[in-house]
Amino acid sequence: MLQGYDERNADIVYWVNGVLRHRDEPGISPFDSAVQGGDAVWEGLRLYRGSIFGLTAHLARLRRSAAALNFAAVPADAEITAAIAATLRANRMFDGVHIRLTLTRGVKITSGMDPRLNRAGPTLIVLAEYKAPVYDTTGLRLITASVRRPGPDVLDPKIHHANLLNSILAKIEATVAGADDALMLDGRGFVAETNATHLFAVIGGTLTTPATAACPEGITRQTVLDLARSAAIPAVVRDVSLAEMYAADEAFCTGTMGEIAGVTMIDGRPIGAGHIGDLTGRIARLYQEHARAHGTPIVGQ
């Protein structure tokens, strides 16, 4: 994991409902629903040379998640995009930036769980940081977490919510085990995703990724599937067992924050030849070229 402090972020400002604040200045009320119960939805965006890749898809997922949680008066896409642009301009950011976009149910009139206590409408937060892709390009080591991904009967994974304790518990296990991240299974014992990314494997020459029964529908994941189809690379979405992951020729993770990151070991077992595979490298190049060429322009240099 390559995440760390970047000195360029020392004096960034962030957006909260129309107000730009220095990173050291508190701007979230203790009565906000995100503080009270993790009652929020979020998206991760990446800025490439003034453009955000997949912006429309990310905002659509944010809106679907907010609708599922019955948020009131969700800001229009144009309003959200304007807030992102204002934040980037205020920070003089143009490239190599990751944006954490959060929409909470809003501020409550008094502490409590009941959404009827929310009378002020949602809170929009835009946090932009200089942040390169966060995974080691020499290959990730994963361990299988004891914590399972819940299905829709527990907490529907199609809601991209901000309650990440499930992921955090799995990440703690990975850290204690000396691994980079945790592979997580669904309630049936099939592979779901990692604590932070979607998973792909090359099995019998076919690019294979788990179905989304217990994980979100990833924007980067879908882009990889689309690129594979355009490049005539065989790809399939199906249930994948842990044993299949162990025996895969290659494996890699996908996500906005880390782009495409190869996996070289799972539970102490080397994947394929134990180094980044050729198809993984090809997919990574295709994705990076595509993301840089197909973004929505947001700010000029």
Side-chain angles (χ1 to χ4, degrees), residues 13 15 20 80-92 126 298-299:
V13 293
W15 171 289
L20 287 165
I80 297 173
T81 302
I84 295 169
T87 305
L88 293 172
R89 285 195 298 267
N91 287 300
R92 298 181 177 86
V126 183
I298 298 295
V299 290

Side-chain angles (χ1 to χ4, degrees), residues 39-289:
D39 189 3
V41 296
W42 70 282
E43 292 292 326
L45 311 171
R46 186 166 283 284
L47 184 73
Y48 300 95
R49 296 196 297 265
S51 297
I52 293 176
F53 175 67
L55 178 61
T56 300
H58 279 286
L59 293 182
R61 186 171 66 176
L62 184 83
R63 192 167 297 280
R64 290 194 303 270
S65 297
L69 292 177
N70 200 29
F71 281 16
V74 176
D77 287 0
E79 183 180 344
I80 297 173
T81 302
I84 295 169
T87 305
L88 293 172
R89 285 195 298 267
N91 287 300
R92 298 181 177 86
M93 290 172 165
F94 181 73
D95 194 25
V97 173
H98 182 267
I99 302 158
R100 176 81 172 209
L101 181 66
T102 305
L103 185 71
T104 87
R105 192 181 298 275
V107 176
K108 296 176 177 291
I109 57 172
T110 187
S111 179
M113 182 178 65
D114 193 334
R116 290 174 297 182
L117 298 174
N118 291 83
R119 308 283 177 81
T123 301
L124 178 64
I125 305 166
V126 183
L127 173 62
E129 298 177 274
Y130 288 107
K131 192 187 292 282
V134 296
Y135 289 111
D136 191 333
T137 56
T138 62
L140 302 179
R141 297 163 299 154
L142 306 180
I143 59 98
T144 302
S146 64
V147 180
R148 297 291 182 96
R149 276 284 190 240
D153 59 327
V154 177
L155 182 56
D156 196 327
K158 301 303 182 289
I159 304 172
H160 205 239
H161 57 81
N163 189 329
L164 301 179
L165 288 178
N166 183 254
S167 296
I168 292 168
L169 288 169
K171 178 64 175 179
I172 290 170
E173 286 191 46
T175 300
V176 170
D180 296 296
D181 265 343
L183 182 152
M184 300 183 72
L185 306 177
D186 66 21
R188 303 166 301 156
F190 288 106
V191 175
E193 56 175 348
T194 77
N195 55 276
T197 56
H198 288 90
L199 275 166
F200 281 81
V202 180
I203 301 173
T206 298
L207 195 60
T208 306
T209 190
T212 56
C215 62
E217 295 170 331
I219 310 301
T220 309
R221 171 185 177 274
Q222 186 58 52
T223 301
V224 167
L225 290 171
D226 294 341
L227 289 172
R229 183 171 57 252
S230 298
I233 299 170
V236 64
V237 177
R238 62 171 175 83
D239 286 334
V240 180
S241 73
L242 191 54
E244 288 183 290
M245 293 297 298
Y246 293 155
D249 297 318
E250 302 178 36
F252 60 88
C253 299
T254 66
T256 300
M257 188 177 283
E259 297 182 332
I260 312 298
V263 175
T264 54
M265 185 170 290
I266 301 175
D267 294 333
R269 297 160 173 83
I271 304 304
H275 56 73
I276 305 297
D278 292 341
L279 185 53
T280 299
R282 183 184 176 192
I283 291 291
R285 289 189 295 274
L286 286 172
Y287 177 80
Q288 289 163 3
E289 291 168 2

